[in-house]
Amino acid sequence: NPFSITTHRTNYLFPISYNSNQNVENFRSISDEVQPDSGEVKFQFSAKFNLAENVFGDIGDVYFAYTQRSWLQAYNTDASSPFRETNYEPEIFFRHRLDWDLGPGTLSAVSLSFNHQSNGQSEPRSRSWNRIMGTAAYSYDRWLFMVNPWFRLPESGSDDDNSDIEKYLGHGSYHAVYKLTEDRTFSLKLLNNMRSTNRTSVEFGYSFPMGDTMKGFFQYYNGYGESLIDYNERIERFGVGILLNNWF
C-alpha cells in the first residue's frame, strides 16, 4: 500500500522513568515554586510516510518522517503535572536499499536526510537545530550496525539558541543492535563530541517478551542530549515500560 504509514524509529512508553539530575533552573519557567520530580513519564512516537518510489529509475525512495519524544511530570501534581519538555523532529529523507554483500555481512541500506529538531518553545527555553544527516546500515547474523553522521546547518548568532550543541553531541551517532533471541534484543547508542573534553553519551536498551503480544523495555541513558533543553547537562536516567515495534 503506497499510502501506508509505518514505524520509523522505536516507539516506546515508560510509565516509570527516573532522572537523578533534573534541571531545576530550566523548570523555573514552568513553575517558580515547585521543583521537578525525578520520576516522570517518557515516551517516543515515530512514523514515516512514503512520498515517492524509485525516484531515479528503480533506485531509491523519498520519505517524510516525524518523531516526537516527550517527558511528562505526571506525578508532580503540585505543578499540575506539566510536560517538562517535548522534542519535535520532522525530516525528509532519501533511502536506497542496497543489500550488498560486504565482508561477512550485508550493507543493507543508505540514506540522506534533511532533519529539523526543536522543542517548540519561546525564549529562554527555545532550542532547535537543522542538520543534513546520513545513515549507513550494516547487518551480520544477529547484529545490526548503523552510523549516522550529520552536518549542522549554520544559523546567525541572534537566531541560534544553542550555538555550542556540537561541543556536547559531536557530529554523529553510532548504533549496535543484537537480537539475543527472536523476542529479546539488546541495543546500544553512542555519541562523542570528538574533542579534548571527550564528552561521551551512551544509551542502552533491552527488550523482552511480556505476555503474548507486548514487549517490555528497559532503557538506561547517561550523558548529554537526551533532550534539547538539557543538551549541555549530563543526566542519568533509567526507564522501564513497553516497546511497540522491533528494531528489525
Side-chain angles (χ1 to χ4, degrees), residues 67-69 71 85-89 117-119 227-228:
T67 301
Q68 178 176 317
R69 192 180 306 121
W71 295 260
E85 171 78 342
T86 295
N87 292 167
Y88 310 94
E89 192 171 352
Q117 187 182 34
S118 69
N119 65 353
S227 66
L228 282 177

Side-chain angles (χ1 to χ4, degrees), residues 72-111:
L72 172 63
Q73 290 272 298
Y75 313 113
N76 193 345
T77 55
D78 290 340
S80 298
S81 303
F83 278 90
R84 181 180 61 82
E85 171 78 342
T86 295
N87 292 167
Y88 310 94
E89 192 171 352
E91 59 185 317
I92 293 177
F93 65 95
F94 169 84
R95 182 173 184 265
H96 179 46
R97 184 178 294 278
L98 295 172
D99 292 328
W100 288 354
D101 292 333
L102 186 63
T106 302
L107 183 60
S108 307
V110 293
S111 66

Side-chain angles (χ1 to χ4, degrees), residues 21 60 89 111 114 133 183 186 191 229 236:
N21 184 30
E89 192 171 352
S111 66
F114 170 76
M133 303 182 67
D183 51 10
F186 291 106
L191 298 94
I229 197 66
E236 184 177 28

Side-chain angles (χ1 to χ4, degrees), residues 9 43 81 95 121 135 143 186 192 214 227:
R9 301 177 187 171
F43 63 88
S81 303
R95 182 173 184 265
Q121 298 289 323
T135 302
W143 288 94
F186 291 106
N192 187 278
M214 296 180 61
S227 66

Side-chain angles (χ1 to χ4, degrees), residues 31-44:
S31 175
D32 287 329
E33 300 177 353
V34 181
Q35 292 193 352
D37 279 351
S38 296
E40 57 189 356
V41 174
K42 177 185 176 183
F43 63 88
Q44 177 170 288

